[in-house]
Structures are given as structure tokens and as C-alpha cells.
Amino acid sequence: MHQNGFFPHTMRLITKGDERTVRPEGDSLRYAINCGLGLSFISEAEQRQILGGSSARDVILATAKRAETSDDPGAVALAAWTAAEAENIFTARLFERLTDLLASRQPVATVDCSWMLIAAVAARKLGDTYDLAVMAKERLMAAQGAYGLFPHRLPASSNGKLRAHIGCFADQVYSTQGLARFAVAYQDQAALVAADACGARICQLQGPDGQWWWHYDVRNGTVVEGYPVYSVHQHAMAPMALLDLREAGGVDHMGALVKGLQWLVRHPEVSEPMICEQDAVIWRKAARREPKKAVRALSAVTTALKPGLHLPGLDRAFPPNQVDHECRPYELGWLLYAWLSGGVVANS
């Protein structure tokens, strides 16, 4: 996936007759940062083999520089986090931008806020990030629902009337991870309780075959729409958050993690392998056969009108039997990070 110092947005399977290739498309600063962080946990020799002679440090420094002019607060937060954690570099300009953003009280994506919190904790011994950490923690905890789940934006109302009640799986994962790390860094029991509540709820809602579902109702702690099931959730993002939670002193959900990993091999939705040895990728997701995310849109509307209201027959009309033949670089970056970064939380 590495392309002369850059990483593409995705690798997509292209077939023409009997020929097949997995082709890079686009360029993603976020994904390059994710890869730099994940690669920092393997040997330098392996890094240079993968990166055409460069190192993870080279990627991290280059992406931190690019982030200085990025309009994407998520990329800015990821770059600040990665530089601090992997290279002990305090990116003062990035932290200044993040602090100003949260201090402005303007709406922010939950994932971005969570990354700001993780970045602040990662850099707290390198520079003054306390105000940023506290603001991010308070924004998250103020929005957490009674059943432990988080909305997609902060405040939830900024996501519109029909979607204010919805939070996606990523919102739960990174919020749990950030609050668990804050709890250890600042001995904050309330943050650990909040992280534990979210971890417990997504595990309670886990599918019968280990599926980590996609959209949740923050109001009553139920699933709004389960599909797609993303492979990265199964092998990297759920482990990343729940292993952090365990390391922080929270509940151990190893059984749910194992069950989630098993879905990669035994997935009832599709018969095709999700782990593709031939193309050296893990296919992105098992999804519905549907036009333009129709079921998610319908489910958002019906549950907005009445919690738990779902149109009957959606699974028959739009079966989840499609494999998305792409793989994004961050998925493999997070795979490395999830399973090799043990000890980071304890040293927060």
C-alpha cells in the first residue's frame, strides 16, 4: 500500500476477465498517520522493508508536518497523538489548534474529540495539555447516554433531528479508549466508570456470531442498524479499545474479542473468505445489497420517530450478502497497533 511516502485512501479489487489486480486509489493523511503509528511497534528492519527504505519515524514526521496545514481536525489530533506516543515529540502548533477548537465550543465529531483526548494524554509529559484533556473528557462524558453509548457528534443535536440519537461503532470505540487512558493518567474514577459502561454495552449488543454492529441508539442502548459489519472493527478497533479498557483496570471482555475475531473466519453473511491470502488484504466489510445506504437511512428515520421502531422485512429485501472488495491502509495500521501496543495505557 505504501506509495513513495504516501498511503492511498483505499486498495480496490479490479477484475477484467480472468485478470485481477488490487489498485490504490486516492491519498489519505489520516491513514498515513495510522500506518505510521502501527508500524512504529515493529522492528526498524521490517519498517524499512515495508516503506521502501524509510522508517515509521520518517512517516510520522512527514505526516505531522502535513497536519499543520490540514483542515481536518481528526488528522491534526491523530498526528499530535502519534508524534507524542511513538516519537516523544510535542507538536505545539497542533495542540494549540486543537485546544482553540474545543475552547470555541463549536460542534465536533465524537471520534475527533476522542482522538484529541488521547493525544492530550499521550503528550502530557511533554507539554501542557491538561486543559485540552479536561475539555475533551468533559465533552464526551456530557454527551454519554444513560446506557453508556455516545452520539456521533458533540453535542448530539448538531447531527440533526433525525440522526441526533445515533452513534456509530467508531464513536463507542475511541470514546472508550480515550476515557480509559484519561482515567489512568489522572486517576479519574468517573472516567473509568464511563469507559466501562460503554464497553459493557457494546459487548451486550454484540451479534450472535461475534459481529460488532454499526449504528446504535444512544437513548435506549439498542442497535439501530447492524450492517455493514466491518472487518477492522473485528480484528483491530474493538480489541484496541477493550484491551485498553482492561489495562486501565476496567472489565475484561476477552471472550467478546475472541468471538469477534472468529467472525473473520466464520461469517454467516457471506461464503467468500474475508481474509484474502491471494491479494494480501482483509476485505473491508460484509454489507447489504441496497441502494445508497437505504436501510441505514430508513432505520435512522423510524427510530427517530419511535425508539426501537424498525420496518419489517428489511433483511429479506436487502440481505447482507455483499463483500466490499477494498482494504484501507489504516485497517492494517490499527491491526498492528491493537495487538502490539500493550503497556501504553499503564504508562499514561
Side-chain angles (χ1 to χ4, degrees):
M1 295 180 176
H2 178 247
Q3 308 284 326
N4 299 317
F6 297 90
F7 282 87
H9 177 73
T10 195
M11 301 290 288
R12 192 181 305 278
L13 176 65
I14 305 296
T15 58
K16 184 178 293 186
D18 294 334
E19 296 182 5
R20 58 185 284 146
T21 57
V22 180
R23 184 176 66 193
E25 296 180 359
D27 166 51
S28 175
L29 174 57
R30 281 194 183 198
Y31 296 171
I33 299 167
N34 296 144
C35 289
L37 183 55
L39 289 168
S40 71
F41 284 86
I42 66 175
S43 71
E44 186 173 336
E46 290 175 306
Q47 294 172 22
R48 294 189 183 279
Q49 180 182 6
I50 292 167
L51 297 172
S54 298
S55 66
R57 178 181 174 84
D58 296 328
V59 172
I60 291 166
L61 293 177
T63 52
K65 186 66 175 177
R66 287 179 66 190
E68 290 183 359
T69 56
S70 173
D71 293 327
D72 176 4
V76 175
L78 281 172
W81 165 11
T82 298
E85 186 174 302
E87 296 297 333
N88 288 315
I89 295 173
F90 184 72
T91 50
R93 185 173 177 183
L94 301 185
F95 278 108
E96 181 179 349
R97 291 180 60 191
L98 297 174
T99 302
D100 288 346
L101 175 62
L102 283 194
S104 73
R105 302 300 298 173
Q106 63 182 283
V108 63
T110 300
V111 166
D112 293 354
C113 186
S114 299
W115 288 342
M116 293 176 200
L117 176 55
I118 297 170
V121 171
R124 75 185 189 94
K125 297 176 183 177
L126 305 172
D128 184 5
T129 62
Y130 180 74
D131 288 346
L132 175 62
V134 171
M135 284 191 293
K137 185 262 298 189
E138 290 180 347
R139 290 283 291 271
L140 288 170
M141 291 183 62
Q144 188 174 26
Y147 292 84
L149 301 179
F150 295 88
H152 191 55
R153 289 186 63 79
L154 309 173
S157 59
S158 66
N159 207 31
K161 290 183 178 180
L162 295 180
R163 297 183 63 84
H165 63 295
I166 291 177
C168 73
F169 187 72
D171 300 321
Q172 316 317 317
V173 163
Y174 298 119
S175 297
T176 298
Q177 187 179 23
L179 290 170
R181 293 188 179 200
F182 184 93
V184 172
Y186 295 102
Q187 297 298 296
D188 189 311
Q189 187 63 26
L192 182 59
V193 169
D196 249 338
C198 187
R201 194 61 183 174
I202 60 173
C203 289
Q204 290 166 3
L205 296 173
Q206 187 179 28
D209 294 283
Q211 299 97 331
W212 296 109
W213 300 126
W214 182 219
H215 280 168
Y216 303 90
D217 192 326
V218 176
R219 301 167 301 181
N220 62 358
T222 60
V223 175
V224 170
E225 162 60 352
Y227 292 96
V229 173
Y230 288 88
S231 294
V232 68
H233 295 173
Q234 307 294 134
H235 67 65
M237 286 169 56
M240 185 165 62
L242 296 178
L243 290 175
D244 271 14
L245 180 61
R246 182 179 72 164
E247 192 172 327
V251 174
D252 186 341
H253 296 287
M254 187 60 72
L257 293 182
V258 171
K259 193 174 181 180
L261 289 170
Q262 290 172 337
W263 180 89
L264 291 167
V265 179
R266 297 192 294 273
H267 31 74
E269 295 88 353
V270 295
S271 57
E272 177 183 350
M274 297 301 291
I275 302 172
C276 180
E277 299 284 355
Q278 179 181 357
D279 297 309
V281 294
I282 304 174
W283 295 130
R284 181 164 168 75
K285 63 180 182 280
R288 293 187 186 277
R289 184 192 296 273
E290 61 179 334
K292 297 182 179 180
K293 306 176 182 178
V295 174
R296 276 174 279 179
L298 286 170
S299 298
V301 171
T302 56
T303 54
L305 296 173
K306 181 181 179 181
L309 176 62
H310 293 274
L311 295 178
L314 288 177
D315 286 342
R316 292 191 300 274
F318 305 105
N321 59 6
Q322 304 297 297
V323 174
D324 181 0
H325 293 105
E326 62 174 308
C327 181
R328 300 187 179 185
Y330 87 94
E331 301 177 25
L332 304 184
W334 272 165
L335 174 61
L336 289 174
Y337 186 74
W339 297 101
L340 297 179
S341 63
V344 167
V345 177
N347 293 325
S348 294

